[in-house]
Amino acid sequence: MSASLQWHIIRKSNSFMLQNRLGGHEVFSTEANNLTSLHSQKFSGLVNPKAVGITADAKRGVVVSLKTKHAQQPKNAFKSVTLSRGGRPTLKSLKGLLGGAVDYRSDLTKFALARASALLVAQKKKAPKVKKGRKTAAAITA
C-alpha cells in the first residue's frame, strides 16, 4: 500500500492523535518516529517508508532510529545508531547521516538537528551554584 493511501486512511483517527478540546486548530501526534510531534504526513513515522526518530540515550548521547526496508519484520524494521561524541560532532554526523552522501531524508535534516540539539542541551550537567556571602570576622582570621 502506498504511503499516501495509508495516510488518507489514518489521518482522521488514530490512537496517536492529540486534538485541542478548546477549539484550537493544531493537531499533535505522540507516535514514536515523529520529529516535531505534529500530525502531518511529512513527519509521520507510521506511513512514511523512510522515517526518522531521535530519542535521548541513557548516557549522554542521542539515538537515531531509521526505518529499513524490512517493515514487515518487527525485529528488523528499524536500525538504531547511537551518537555520543559530544555536541558538535554528534550534530555533524547526524547531518551527514540524513542529508549527506546517503541522503536518507534531507527534508527532515533541519528538524532532526533541532531535536537532537535540544536533547543534548537537556542532558548537560549543570554546575552547582556556589553561594557567595559576606565574610565574617571568624572566617577571615581562620
Side-chain angles (χ1 to χ4, degrees):
M1 220 182 333
S2 69
S4 61
L5 179 61
Q6 288 177 358
W7 176 251
H8 282 289
I9 291 171
I10 69 164
R11 72 179 173 157
K12 294 280 183 177
S13 62
N14 68 43
S15 62
F16 298 108
M17 282 177 52
L18 293 175
Q19 292 181 334
N20 191 351
R21 293 182 183 165
L22 300 175
H25 298 288
E26 293 178 345
V27 180
F28 295 101
S29 177
T30 60
E31 58 195 52
N33 293 315
N34 192 330
L35 289 174
T36 59
S37 297
L38 290 174
H39 183 67
S40 69
Q41 184 178 4
K42 178 180 179 179
F43 302 116
S44 177
L46 296 174
V47 299
N48 282 324
K50 292 183 176 182
V52 179
I54 297 180
T55 55
D57 191 18
K59 299 175 185 174
R60 292 185 59 190
V62 194
V63 178
V64 181
S65 302
L66 305 173
K67 202 179 233 185
T68 62
K69 294 180 181 180
H70 308 288
Q72 300 301 325
Q73 303 168 354
K75 181 181 176 184
N76 301 327
F78 285 95
K79 178 180 87 170
S80 295
V81 179
T82 304
L83 305 174
S84 61
R85 296 184 299 161
R88 289 185 186 190
T90 296
L91 295 178
K92 183 178 179 183
S93 56
L94 179 63
K95 190 174 184 178
L97 190 68
L98 293 180
V102 178
D103 196 27
Y104 187 75
R105 283 285 302 264
S106 58
D107 60 329
L108 295 181
T109 303
K110 181 175 79 169
F111 303 107
L113 290 175
R115 179 145 185 150
S117 63
L119 287 173
L120 288 171
V121 166
Q123 288 178 347
K124 248 185 196 177
K125 293 182 180 177
K126 294 184 179 178
K129 290 186 177 182
V130 178
K131 204 171 193 181
K132 294 182 180 179
R134 294 172 126 192
K135 294 183 179 179
T136 60
I140 295 172
T141 58

